[in-house]
Amino acid sequence: MVVVLIILALAIFVLPNIWAKWVLKRHTRGRDDYPGTGAELADHLLRRLGIDGASVERTEYGDHYDPETRCVRLSSDNYDGRSLTAVTVAAHEVGHAIQHYQGYAPLIARSRMVGVAQKAEKLGAVLMMAAPFLFLLTRLPGGLAIVIAMAVISFGTAAVVHLVTLPVEFDASFNRALPLLKEYVPPSDMAGARHVLTACAFTYVAASLASVMNLGRWLVILRR
């Protein structure tokens, strides 16, 4: 039973990330027939769509859109790359900029919750490590259960954020980026673009499942 659970956990947490990296790498070959790099496409789309105040920057911390600075940030490979992966990732991050510009509610909710969730998750981890010591110090009836409950709430906050992230990512990929890419990418490359967007989405699905399973694990501990 334990072996089955370990295999299941590996399948949920590891395989989606391995597959995503494989798909992204598969489409990183430079394309001379593409009119521009990922950064150039992102900048063009932002100007074409009239998203004033938004910008494009290079980053060393992974591709993302920052709602606070209204900045599309791309890794060096995707910023300078003239490949299917580069332009697809760039279009996806522009999709988030479009969401922000149009006031897409799930994105706004996620942005507000991310800071709280990060602090809550750290607090939960600290509480779980400190729980036996806190119980020994307080010696109050039910003290350990209270601490574990607080940790579960902390992990639960992170799980909610991950779940809210899913519709945000799928919308940015398939409702925003994909229609735009059809205007810039040859029809023969659209299947590859869908693969890239799907691969990226699966990494968020895996993260969400991991967060929910972690919450479930501590709920079981609490019931004991």
Side-chain angles (χ1 to χ4, degrees):
M1 184 65 178
V2 175
V3 175
V4 173
L5 291 175
I6 292 174
I7 294 174
L8 180 61
L10 288 174
I12 292 174
F13 306 144
V14 179
L15 293 182
N17 290 304
I18 294 176
W19 181 68
K21 290 179 181 178
W22 177 79
V23 171
L24 292 172
K25 186 176 180 179
R26 180 185 177 189
H27 296 287
T28 53
R29 179 174 60 86
R31 296 287 297 271
D32 295 333
D33 56 329
Y34 282 10
T37 65
E40 290 170 340
L41 176 61
D43 183 68
H44 167 74
L45 290 174
L46 292 172
R47 287 186 286 106
R48 177 197 145 185
L49 297 170
I51 305 178
D52 298 327
S55 60
V56 183
E57 291 181 358
R58 189 193 310 270
T59 183
E60 301 299 325
Y61 301 101
D63 306 283
H64 64 280
Y65 172 71
D66 185 348
E68 291 187 6
T69 60
R70 303 183 67 183
C71 184
V72 171
R73 295 198 173 101
L74 301 173
S75 61
S76 294
D77 288 342
N78 293 327
Y79 189 96
D80 297 317
R82 194 185 296 259
S83 66
L84 182 59
T85 291
V87 298
T88 301
V89 171
H92 170 82
E93 299 307 335
V94 170
H96 287 309
I98 298 171
Q99 290 173 335
H100 189 200
Y101 180 72
Q102 295 180 347
Y104 183 60
L107 175 69
I108 295 172
R110 183 184 72 171
S111 299
R112 291 174 178 172
M113 294 174 65
V114 163
V116 175
Q118 290 175 341
K119 294 178 181 178
E121 199 166 13
K122 290 179 181 178
L123 175 62
V126 171
L127 286 173
M128 291 313 305
M129 290 187 293
F133 302 102
L134 292 174
F135 180 67
L136 289 174
L137 289 174
T138 58
R139 294 189 179 278
L140 295 174
L144 182 59
I146 293 173
V147 173
I148 294 177
M150 292 172 63
V152 168
I153 293 173
S154 299
F155 287 123
T157 304
V160 170
V161 172
H162 282 300
L163 292 175
V164 171
T165 294
L166 291 180
V168 173
E169 296 299 326
F170 278 98
D171 179 79
S173 287
F174 300 107
N175 294 338
R176 319 279 179 165
L178 202 58
L180 292 172
L181 286 169
K182 290 178 180 178
E183 303 177 29
Y184 296 93
V185 172
S188 58
D189 287 339
M190 286 309 299
R194 289 189 182 90
H195 288 160
V196 171
L197 293 172
T198 302
C200 294
F202 261 83
T203 61
Y204 289 100
V205 171
S208 298
L209 289 174
S211 184
V212 171
M213 289 182 66
N214 198 31
L215 173 61
R217 181 165 65 94
W218 291 116
L219 286 172
V220 171
I221 292 175
L222 182 60
R223 289 184 63 182
R224 292 177 181 175

mmCIF file of all heavy atoms in Angstrom, residues 167-216:
data_model
loop_
_atom_site.group_PDB
_atom_site.id
_atom_site.type_symbol
_atom_site.label_atom_id
_atom_site.label_comp_id
_atom_site.label_asym_id
_atom_site.label_seq_id
_atom_site.Cartn_x
_atom_site.Cartn_y
_atom_site.Cartn_z
ATOM 1 N N PRO A 167 -8.139 28.402 -12.692
ATOM 2 C CA PRO A 167 -8.905 29.104 -13.732
ATOM 3 C C PRO A 167 -8.182 30.311 -14.302
ATOM 4 O O PRO A 167 -8.360 30.650 -15.478
ATOM 5 C CB PRO A 167 -10.189 29.524 -13.010
ATOM 6 C CG PRO A 167 -9.872 29.480 -11.556
ATOM 7 C CD PRO A 167 -8.863 28.385 -11.404
ATOM 8 N N VAL A 168 -7.356 30.966 -13.488
ATOM 9 C CA VAL A 168 -6.588 32.120 -13.970
ATOM 10 C C VAL A 168 -5.612 31.686 -15.062
ATOM 11 O O VAL A 168 -5.502 32.322 -16.118
ATOM 12 C CB VAL A 168 -5.824 32.789 -12.809
ATOM 13 C CG1 VAL A 168 -4.901 33.885 -13.325
ATOM 14 C CG2 VAL A 168 -6.793 33.367 -11.789
ATOM 15 N N GLU A 169 -4.894 30.587 -14.821
ATOM 16 C CA GLU A 169 -3.907 30.113 -15.786
ATOM 17 C C GLU A 169 -4.558 29.566 -17.048
ATOM 18 O O GLU A 169 -4.101 29.835 -18.162
ATOM 19 C CB GLU A 169 -3.024 29.035 -15.137
ATOM 20 C CG GLU A 169 -2.182 29.530 -13.985
ATOM 21 C CD GLU A 169 -1.206 30.623 -14.407
ATOM 22 O OE1 GLU A 169 -0.712 30.574 -15.543
ATOM 23 O OE2 GLU A 169 -0.958 31.528 -13.590
ATOM 24 N N PHE A 170 -5.619 28.799 -16.897
ATOM 25 C CA PHE A 170 -6.301 28.245 -18.071
ATOM 26 C C PHE A 170 -6.921 29.349 -18.917
ATOM 27 O O PHE A 170 -6.890 29.287 -20.148
ATOM 28 C CB PHE A 170 -7.369 27.234 -17.638
ATOM 29 C CG PHE A 170 -6.821 25.860 -17.354
ATOM 30 C CD1 PHE A 170 -6.541 25.461 -16.052
ATOM 31 C CD2 PHE A 170 -6.580 24.976 -18.386
ATOM 32 C CE1 PHE A 170 -6.034 24.198 -15.791
ATOM 33 C CE2 PHE A 170 -6.064 23.707 -18.133
ATOM 34 C CZ PHE A 170 -5.788 23.312 -16.834
ATOM 35 N N ASP A 171 -7.476 30.359 -18.270
ATOM 36 C CA ASP A 171 -8.065 31.475 -19.018
ATOM 37 C C ASP A 171 -6.981 32.248 -19.775
ATOM 38 O O ASP A 171 -7.172 32.599 -20.950
ATOM 39 C CB ASP A 171 -8.798 32.416 -18.061
ATOM 40 C CG ASP A 171 -9.412 33.608 -18.779
ATOM 41 O OD1 ASP A 171 -10.480 33.449 -19.391
ATOM 42 O OD2 ASP A 171 -8.815 34.697 -18.736
ATOM 43 N N ALA A 172 -5.855 32.509 -19.123
ATOM 44 C CA ALA A 172 -4.768 33.242 -19.781
ATOM 45 C C ALA A 172 -4.232 32.468 -20.979
ATOM 46 O O ALA A 172 -3.876 33.062 -22.005
ATOM 47 C CB ALA A 172 -3.642 33.513 -18.789
ATOM 48 N N SER A 173 -4.199 31.144 -20.861
ATOM 49 C CA SER A 173 -3.652 30.323 -21.939
ATOM 50 C C SER A 173 -4.622 30.156 -23.100
ATOM 51 O O SER A 173 -4.293 30.468 -24.249
ATOM 52 C CB SER A 173 -3.261 28.935 -21.407
ATOM 53 O OG SER A 173 -2.099 29.002 -20.611
ATOM 54 N N PHE A 174 -5.807 29.671 -22.799
ATOM 55 C CA PHE A 174 -6.695 29.205 -23.865
ATOM 56 C C PHE A 174 -7.756 30.221 -24.290
ATOM 57 O O PHE A 174 -8.251 30.151 -25.409
ATOM 58 C CB PHE A 174 -7.339 27.893 -23.441
ATOM 59 C CG PHE A 174 -6.328 26.814 -23.170
ATOM 60 C CD1 PHE A 174 -6.056 26.409 -21.873
ATOM 61 C CD2 PHE A 174 -5.619 26.231 -24.202
ATOM 62 C CE1 PHE A 174 -5.097 25.439 -21.615
ATOM 63 C CE2 PHE A 174 -4.657 25.259 -23.960
ATOM 64 C CZ PHE A 174 -4.398 24.862 -22.656
ATOM 65 N N ASN A 175 -8.097 31.155 -23.425
ATOM 66 C CA ASN A 175 -9.067 32.188 -23.812
ATOM 67 C C ASN A 175 -8.399 33.476 -24.263
ATOM 68 O O ASN A 175 -9.017 34.271 -24.980
ATOM 69 C CB ASN A 175 -10.019 32.489 -22.654
ATOM 70 C CG ASN A 175 -10.913 31.313 -22.320
ATOM 71 O OD1 ASN A 175 -11.139 30.432 -23.151
ATOM 72 N ND2 ASN A 175 -11.412 31.268 -21.094
ATOM 73 N N ARG A 176 -7.151 33.705 -23.837
ATOM 74 C CA ARG A 176 -6.456 34.957 -24.180
ATOM 75 C C ARG A 176 -5.304 34.708 -25.158
ATOM 76 O O ARG A 176 -5.279 35.289 -26.243
ATOM 77 C CB ARG A 176 -5.911 35.625 -22.911
ATOM 78 C CG ARG A 176 -6.846 35.591 -21.712
ATOM 79 C CD ARG A 176 -7.892 36.665 -21.757
ATOM 80 N NE ARG A 176 -8.775 36.573 -20.581
ATOM 81 C CZ ARG A 176 -9.600 37.530 -20.205
ATOM 82 N NH1 ARG A 176 -9.683 38.662 -20.889
ATOM 83 N NH2 ARG A 176 -10.370 37.374 -19.134
ATOM 84 N N ALA A 177 -4.357 33.861 -24.764
ATOM 85 C CA ALA A 177 -3.147 33.694 -25.574
ATOM 86 C C ALA A 177 -3.401 32.960 -26.884
ATOM 87 O O ALA A 177 -2.906 33.369 -27.934
ATOM 88 C CB ALA A 177 -2.085 32.954 -24.754
ATOM 89 N N LEU A 178 -4.155 31.887 -26.839
ATOM 90 C CA LEU A 178 -4.331 31.055 -28.030
ATOM 91 C C LEU A 178 -4.954 31.815 -29.201
ATOM 92 O O LEU A 178 -4.450 31.718 -30.331
ATOM 93 C CB LEU A 178 -5.155 29.814 -27.677
ATOM 94 C CG LEU A 178 -5.005 28.620 -28.617
ATOM 95 C CD1 LEU A 178 -3.553 28.175 -28.715
ATOM 96 C CD2 LEU A 178 -5.887 27.471 -28.143
ATOM 97 N N PRO A 179 -6.036 32.573 -28.996
ATOM 98 C CA PRO A 179 -6.582 33.349 -30.125
ATOM 99 C C PRO A 179 -5.583 34.352 -30.698
ATOM 100 O O PRO A 179 -5.563 34.579 -31.914
ATOM 101 C CB PRO A 179 -7.788 34.065 -29.501
ATOM 102 C CG PRO A 179 -8.179 33.219 -28.341
ATOM 103 C CD PRO A 179 -6.888 32.700 -27.791
ATOM 104 N N LEU A 180 -4.745 34.949 -29.840
ATOM 105 C CA LEU A 180 -3.737 35.889 -30.324
ATOM 106 C C LEU A 180 -2.673 35.181 -31.147
ATOM 107 O O LEU A 180 -2.229 35.680 -32.191
ATOM 108 C CB LEU A 180 -3.083 36.616 -29.145
ATOM 109 C CG LEU A 180 -3.971 37.585 -28.358
ATOM 110 C CD1 LEU A 180 -3.240 38.073 -27.113
ATOM 111 C CD2 LEU A 180 -4.376 38.771 -29.228
ATOM 112 N N LEU A 181 -2.253 34.010 -30.693
ATOM 113 C CA LEU A 181 -1.201 33.277 -31.385
ATOM 114 C C LEU A 181 -1.640 32.858 -32.787
ATOM 115 O O LEU A 181 -0.797 32.752 -33.691
ATOM 116 C CB LEU A 181 -0.802 32.038 -30.572
ATOM 117 C CG LEU A 181 0.032 32.307 -29.318
ATOM 118 C CD1 LEU A 181 0.137 31.056 -28.467
ATOM 119 C CD2 LEU A 181 1.425 32.794 -29.703
ATOM 120 N N LYS A 182 -2.921 32.631 -32.972
ATOM 121 C CA LYS A 182 -3.412 32.233 -34.296
ATOM 122 C C LYS A 182 -3.129 33.297 -35.349
ATOM 123 O O LYS A 182 -3.072 32.993 -36.547
ATOM 124 C CB LYS A 182 -4.916 31.952 -34.233
ATOM 125 C CG LYS A 182 -5.270 30.690 -33.455
ATOM 126 C CD LYS A 182 -6.773 30.485 -33.393
ATOM 127 C CE LYS A 182 -7.118 29.220 -32.609
ATOM 128 N NZ LYS A 182 -8.598 29.016 -32.493
ATOM 129 N N GLU A 183 -2.934 34.546 -34.911
ATOM 130 C CA GLU A 183 -2.661 35.635 -35.844
ATOM 131 C C GLU A 183 -1.167 35.779 -36.149
ATOM 132 O O GLU A 183 -0.802 36.495 -37.092
ATOM 133 C CB GLU A 183 -3.186 36.950 -35.264
ATOM 134 C CG GLU A 183 -4.681 36.937 -34.933
ATOM 135 C CD GLU A 183 -5.138 38.236 -34.306
ATOM 136 O OE1 GLU A 183 -4.535 39.287 -34.604
ATOM 137 O OE2 GLU A 183 -6.087 38.199 -33.495
ATOM 138 N N TYR A 184 -0.309 35.132 -35.359
ATOM 139 C CA TYR A 184 1.130 35.331 -35.507
ATOM 140 C C TYR A 184 1.904 34.037 -35.772
ATOM 141 O O TYR A 184 3.039 34.095 -36.248
ATOM 142 C CB TYR A 184 1.694 35.996 -34.250
ATOM 143 C CG TYR A 184 1.151 37.382 -34.026
ATOM 144 C CD1 TYR A 184 0.028 37.583 -33.227
ATOM 145 C CD2 TYR A 184 1.729 38.494 -34.629
ATOM 146 C CE1 TYR A 184 -0.497 38.858 -33.027
ATOM 147 C CE2 TYR A 184 1.218 39.765 -34.432
ATOM 148 C CZ TYR A 184 0.101 39.941 -33.632
ATOM 149 O OH TYR A 184 -0.406 41.207 -33.447
ATOM 150 N N VAL A 185 1.307 32.914 -35.445
ATOM 151 C CA VAL A 185 1.996 31.632 -35.594
ATOM 152 C C VAL A 185 1.399 30.870 -36.776
ATOM 153 O O VAL A 185 0.171 30.842 -36.935
ATOM 154 C CB VAL A 185 1.853 30.801 -34.293
ATOM 155 C CG1 VAL A 185 2.377 29.397 -34.474
ATOM 156 C CG2 VAL A 185 2.580 31.492 -33.150
ATOM 157 N N PRO A 186 2.234 30.240 -37.611
ATOM 158 C CA PRO A 186 1.711 29.447 -38.732
ATOM 159 C C PRO A 186 0.743 28.368 -38.250
ATOM 160 O O PRO A 186 0.933 27.807 -37.164
ATOM 161 C CB PRO A 186 2.976 28.826 -39.338
ATOM 162 C CG PRO A 186 4.086 29.731 -38.927
ATOM 163 C CD PRO A 186 3.708 30.259 -37.572
ATOM 164 N N PRO A 187 -0.287 28.067 -39.029
ATOM 165 C CA PRO A 187 -1.268 27.036 -38.621
ATOM 166 C C PRO A 187 -0.616 25.704 -38.266
ATOM 167 O O PRO A 187 -1.102 24.999 -37.378
ATOM 168 C CB PRO A 187 -2.165 26.912 -39.850
ATOM 169 C CG PRO A 187 -2.072 28.239 -40.519
ATOM 170 C CD PRO A 187 -0.661 28.706 -40.304
ATOM 171 N N SER A 188 0.472 25.372 -38.938
ATOM 172 C CA SER A 188 1.141 24.095 -38.675
ATOM 173 C C SER A 188 1.777 24.054 -37.283
ATOM 174 O O SER A 188 2.097 22.972 -36.787
ATOM 175 C CB SER A 188 2.223 23.837 -39.733
ATOM 176 O OG SER A 188 3.179 24.895 -39.737
ATOM 177 N N ASP A 189 1.962 25.230 -36.656
ATOM 178 C CA ASP A 189 2.578 25.290 -35.325
ATOM 179 C C ASP A 189 1.555 25.403 -34.193
ATOM 180 O O ASP A 189 1.931 25.388 -33.012
ATOM 181 C CB ASP A 189 3.527 26.497 -35.230
ATOM 182 C CG ASP A 189 4.804 26.274 -36.017
ATOM 183 O OD1 ASP A 189 5.145 25.105 -36.284
ATOM 184 O OD2 ASP A 189 5.458 27.280 -36.366
ATOM 185 N N MET A 190 0.279 25.522 -34.535
ATOM 186 C CA MET A 190 -0.718 25.745 -33.493
ATOM 187 C C MET A 190 -0.872 24.545 -32.556
ATOM 188 O O MET A 190 -1.120 24.706 -31.365
ATOM 189 C CB MET A 190 -2.064 26.103 -34.117
ATOM 190 C CG MET A 190 -2.124 27.509 -34.691
ATOM 191 S SD MET A 190 -1.580 28.784 -33.514
ATOM 192 C CE MET A 190 -2.769 28.571 -32.186
ATOM 193 N N ALA A 191 -0.716 23.340 -33.088
ATOM 194 C CA ALA A 191 -0.792 22.154 -32.224
ATOM 195 C C ALA A 191 0.328 22.195 -31.187
ATOM 196 O O ALA A 191 0.123 21.887 -30.008
ATOM 197 C CB ALA A 191 -0.707 20.879 -33.058
ATOM 198 N N GLY A 192 1.528 22.607 -31.626
ATOM 199 C CA GLY A 192 2.648 22.732 -30.691
ATOM 200 C C GLY A 192 2.400 23.802 -29.658
ATOM 201 O O GLY A 192 2.747 23.643 -28.483
ATOM 202 N N ALA A 193 1.781 24.914 -30.074
ATOM 203 C CA ALA A 193 1.468 25.993 -29.125
ATOM 204 C C ALA A 193 0.497 25.493 -28.057
ATOM 205 O O ALA A 193 0.648 25.802 -26.874
ATOM 206 C CB ALA A 193 0.875 27.182 -29.869
ATOM 207 N N ARG A 194 -0.494 24.717 -28.477
ATOM 208 C CA ARG A 194 -1.438 24.142 -27.503
ATOM 209 C C ARG A 194 -0.717 23.214 -26.526
ATOM 210 O O ARG A 194 -1.030 23.186 -25.337
ATOM 211 C CB ARG A 194 -2.551 23.388 -28.232
ATOM 212 C CG ARG A 194 -3.532 24.282 -28.963
ATOM 213 C CD ARG A 194 -4.714 23.470 -29.478
ATOM 214 N NE ARG A 194 -5.649 24.297 -30.238
ATOM 215 C CZ ARG A 194 -5.571 24.487 -31.548
ATOM 216 N NH1 ARG A 194 -4.610 23.889 -32.250
ATOM 217 N NH2 ARG A 194 -6.453 25.250 -32.163
ATOM 218 N N HIS A 195 0.239 22.437 -27.038
ATOM 219 C CA HIS A 195 1.007 21.540 -26.164
ATOM 220 C C HIS A 195 1.787 22.332 -25.119
ATOM 221 O O HIS A 195 1.833 21.954 -23.952
ATOM 222 C CB HIS A 195 1.963 20.688 -27.003
ATOM 223 C CG HIS A 195 1.287 19.639 -27.815
ATOM 224 N ND1 HIS A 195 1.867 19.043 -28.908
ATOM 225 C CD2 HIS A 195 0.051 19.082 -27.701
ATOM 226 C CE1 HIS A 195 1.036 18.177 -29.426
ATOM 227 N NE2 HIS A 195 -0.080 18.174 -28.719
ATOM 228 N N VAL A 196 2.401 23.430 -25.554
ATOM 229 C CA VAL A 196 3.168 24.261 -24.622
ATOM 230 C C VAL A 196 2.245 24.826 -23.546
ATOM 231 O O VAL A 196 2.564 24.787 -22.345
ATOM 232 C CB VAL A 196 3.889 25.402 -25.370
ATOM 233 C CG1 VAL A 196 4.503 26.393 -24.376
ATOM 234 C CG2 VAL A 196 4.975 24.843 -26.279
ATOM 235 N N LEU A 197 1.100 25.368 -23.951
ATOM 236 C CA LEU A 197 0.159 25.945 -22.989
ATOM 237 C C LEU A 197 -0.397 24.879 -22.043
ATOM 238 O O LEU A 197 -0.564 25.118 -20.852
ATOM 239 C CB LEU A 197 -0.986 26.634 -23.739
ATOM 240 C CG LEU A 197 -0.590 27.882 -24.539
ATOM 241 C CD1 LEU A 197 -1.761 28.355 -25.394
ATOM 242 C CD2 LEU A 197 -0.123 28.993 -23.620
ATOM 243 N N THR A 198 -0.678 23.700 -22.587
ATOM 244 C CA THR A 198 -1.200 22.604 -21.752
ATOM 245 C C THR A 198 -0.148 22.139 -20.760
ATOM 246 O O THR A 198 -0.450 21.879 -19.588
ATOM 247 C CB THR A 198 -1.636 21.425 -22.636
ATOM 248 O OG1 THR A 198 -2.635 21.870 -23.559
ATOM 249 C CG2 THR A 198 -2.216 20.299 -21.788
ATOM 250 N N ALA A 199 1.105 22.040 -21.213
ATOM 251 C CA ALA A 199 2.186 21.604 -20.332
ATOM 252 C C ALA A 199 2.352 22.559 -19.165
ATOM 253 O O ALA A 199 2.522 22.140 -18.011
ATOM 254 C CB ALA A 199 3.491 21.496 -21.120
ATOM 255 N N CYS A 200 2.315 23.851 -19.457
ATOM 256 C CA CYS A 200 2.429 24.843 -18.382
ATOM 257 C C CYS A 200 1.270 24.736 -17.402
ATOM 258 O O CYS A 200 1.453 24.831 -16.186
ATOM 259 C CB CYS A 200 2.479 26.245 -18.978
ATOM 260 S SG CYS A 200 3.958 26.574 -19.960
ATOM 261 N N ALA A 201 0.067 24.514 -17.927
ATOM 262 C CA ALA A 201 -1.105 24.406 -17.069
ATOM 263 C C ALA A 201 -1.011 23.196 -16.143
ATOM 264 O O ALA A 201 -1.413 23.251 -14.979
ATOM 265 C CB ALA A 201 -2.374 24.321 -17.919
ATOM 266 N N PHE A 202 -0.443 22.096 -16.653
ATOM 267 C CA PHE A 202 -0.365 20.882 -15.851
ATOM 268 C C PHE A 202 0.544 21.057 -14.643
ATOM 269 O O PHE A 202 0.354 20.394 -13.625
ATOM 270 C CB PHE A 202 0.114 19.708 -16.708
ATOM 271 C CG PHE A 202 -1.003 18.834 -17.192
ATOM 272 C CD1 PHE A 202 -1.717 19.178 -18.325
ATOM 273 C CD2 PHE A 202 -1.355 17.687 -16.511
ATOM 274 C CE1 PHE A 202 -2.762 18.394 -18.774
ATOM 275 C CE2 PHE A 202 -2.397 16.888 -16.946
ATOM 276 C CZ PHE A 202 -3.108 17.237 -18.082
ATOM 277 N N THR A 203 1.543 21.920 -14.733
ATOM 278 C CA THR A 203 2.388 22.152 -13.568
ATOM 279 C C THR A 203 1.580 22.802 -12.444
ATOM 280 O O THR A 203 1.797 22.518 -11.265
ATOM 281 C CB THR A 203 3.586 23.051 -13.928
ATOM 282 O OG1 THR A 203 3.114 24.325 -14.387
ATOM 283 C CG2 THR A 203 4.425 22.417 -15.019
ATOM 284 N N TYR A 204 0.620 23.668 -12.800
ATOM 285 C CA TYR A 204 -0.243 24.290 -11.788
ATOM 286 C C TYR A 204 -1.240 23.284 -11.228
ATOM 287 O O TYR A 204 -1.589 23.327 -10.047
ATOM 288 C CB TYR A 204 -0.975 25.488 -12.386
ATOM 289 C CG TYR A 204 -0.079 26.668 -12.651
ATOM 290 C CD1 TYR A 204 0.400 26.934 -13.924
ATOM 291 C CD2 TYR A 204 0.304 27.513 -11.619
ATOM 292 C CE1 TYR A 204 1.237 28.016 -14.168
ATOM 293 C CE2 TYR A 204 1.146 28.598 -11.847
ATOM 294 C CZ TYR A 204 1.610 28.838 -13.137
ATOM 295 O OH TYR A 204 2.437 29.894 -13.362
ATOM 296 N N VAL A 205 -1.706 22.374 -12.086
ATOM 297 C CA VAL A 205 -2.607 21.314 -11.607
ATOM 298 C C VAL A 205 -1.891 20.459 -10.573
ATOM 299 O O VAL A 205 -2.442 20.134 -9.513
ATOM 300 C CB VAL A 205 -3.089 20.438 -12.785
ATOM 301 C CG1 VAL A 205 -3.847 19.220 -12.271
ATOM 302 C CG2 VAL A 205 -3.980 21.250 -13.718
ATOM 303 N N ALA A 206 -0.638 20.094 -10.864
ATOM 304 C CA ALA A 206 0.146 19.287 -9.928
ATOM 305 C C ALA A 206 0.356 20.021 -8.613
ATOM 306 O O ALA A 206 0.244 19.433 -7.532
ATOM 307 C CB ALA A 206 1.488 18.919 -10.559
ATOM 308 N N ALA A 207 0.657 21.312 -8.688
ATOM 309 C CA ALA A 207 0.867 22.100 -7.473
ATOM 310 C C ALA A 207 -0.413 22.173 -6.644
ATOM 311 O O ALA A 207 -0.374 22.098 -5.409
ATOM 312 C CB ALA A 207 1.340 23.498 -7.832
ATOM 313 N N SER A 208 -1.548 22.304 -7.306
ATOM 314 C CA SER A 208 -2.828 22.367 -6.606
ATOM 315 C C SER A 208 -3.134 21.051 -5.912
ATOM 316 O O SER A 208 -3.565 21.020 -4.755
ATOM 317 C CB SER A 208 -3.946 22.715 -7.593
ATOM 318 O OG SER A 208 -3.734 23.977 -8.172
ATOM 319 N N LEU A 209 -2.914 19.941 -6.619
ATOM 320 C CA LEU A 209 -3.155 18.627 -6.018
ATOM 321 C C LEU A 209 -2.240 18.393 -4.827
ATOM 322 O O LEU A 209 -2.665 17.860 -3.800
ATOM 323 C CB LEU A 209 -2.945 17.531 -7.068
ATOM 324 C CG LEU A 209 -4.000 17.442 -8.169
ATOM 325 C CD1 LEU A 209 -3.582 16.420 -9.223
ATOM 326 C CD2 LEU A 209 -5.365 17.072 -7.590
ATOM 327 N N ALA A 210 -0.986 18.815 -4.957
ATOM 328 C CA ALA A 210 -0.037 18.648 -3.855
ATOM 329 C C ALA A 210 -0.487 19.434 -2.635
ATOM 330 O O ALA A 210 -0.430 18.949 -1.502
ATOM 331 C CB ALA A 210 1.358 19.096 -4.294
ATOM 332 N N SER A 211 -0.964 20.651 -2.862
ATOM 333 C CA SER A 211 -1.406 21.496 -1.755
ATOM 334 C C SER A 211 -2.630 20.903 -1.066
ATOM 335 O O SER A 211 -2.718 20.876 0.160
ATOM 336 C CB SER A 211 -1.712 22.896 -2.282
ATOM 337 O OG SER A 211 -2.048 23.760 -1.225
ATOM 338 N N VAL A 212 -3.579 20.409 -1.864
ATOM 339 C CA VAL A 212 -4.793 19.814 -1.297
ATOM 340 C C VAL A 212 -4.457 18.540 -0.526
ATOM 341 O O VAL A 212 -4.997 18.292 0.561
ATOM 342 C CB VAL A 212 -5.816 19.526 -2.414
ATOM 343 C CG1 VAL A 212 -6.991 18.716 -1.867
ATOM 344 C CG2 VAL A 212 -6.323 20.835 -3.010
ATOM 345 N N MET A 213 -3.554 17.722 -1.087
ATOM 346 C CA MET A 213 -3.173 16.487 -0.401
ATOM 347 C C MET A 213 -2.445 16.786 0.903
ATOM 348 O O MET A 213 -2.621 16.086 1.901
ATOM 349 C CB MET A 213 -2.301 15.633 -1.322
ATOM 350 C CG MET A 213 -3.053 15.017 -2.497
ATOM 351 S SD MET A 213 -2.008 13.964 -3.533
ATOM 352 C CE MET A 213 -1.639 12.628 -2.394
ATOM 353 N N ASN A 214 -1.636 17.834 0.903
ATOM 354 C CA ASN A 214 -0.940 18.220 2.126
ATOM 355 C C ASN A 214 -1.929 18.649 3.200
ATOM 356 O O ASN A 214 -1.804 18.296 4.374
ATOM 357 C CB ASN A 214 0.036 19.355 1.818
ATOM 358 C CG ASN A 214 1.089 19.517 2.903
ATOM 359 O OD1 ASN A 214 1.479 18.557 3.553
ATOM 360 N ND2 ASN A 214 1.556 20.744 3.084
ATOM 361 N N LEU A 215 -2.949 19.409 2.771
ATOM 362 C CA LEU A 215 -3.996 19.814 3.708
ATOM 363 C C LEU A 215 -4.735 18.596 4.246
ATOM 364 O O LEU A 215 -4.995 18.483 5.447
ATOM 365 C CB LEU A 215 -4.974 20.751 3.006
ATOM 366 C CG LEU A 215 -6.231 21.144 3.800
ATOM 367 C CD1 LEU A 215 -5.851 21.865 5.076
ATOM 368 C CD2 LEU A 215 -7.145 22.011 2.936
ATOM 369 N N GLY A 216 -5.069 17.658 3.353
ATOM 370 C CA GLY A 216 -5.770 16.443 3.781
ATOM 371 C C GLY A 216 -4.966 15.634 4.779
ATOM 372 O O GLY A 216 -5.521 15.064 5.729
#
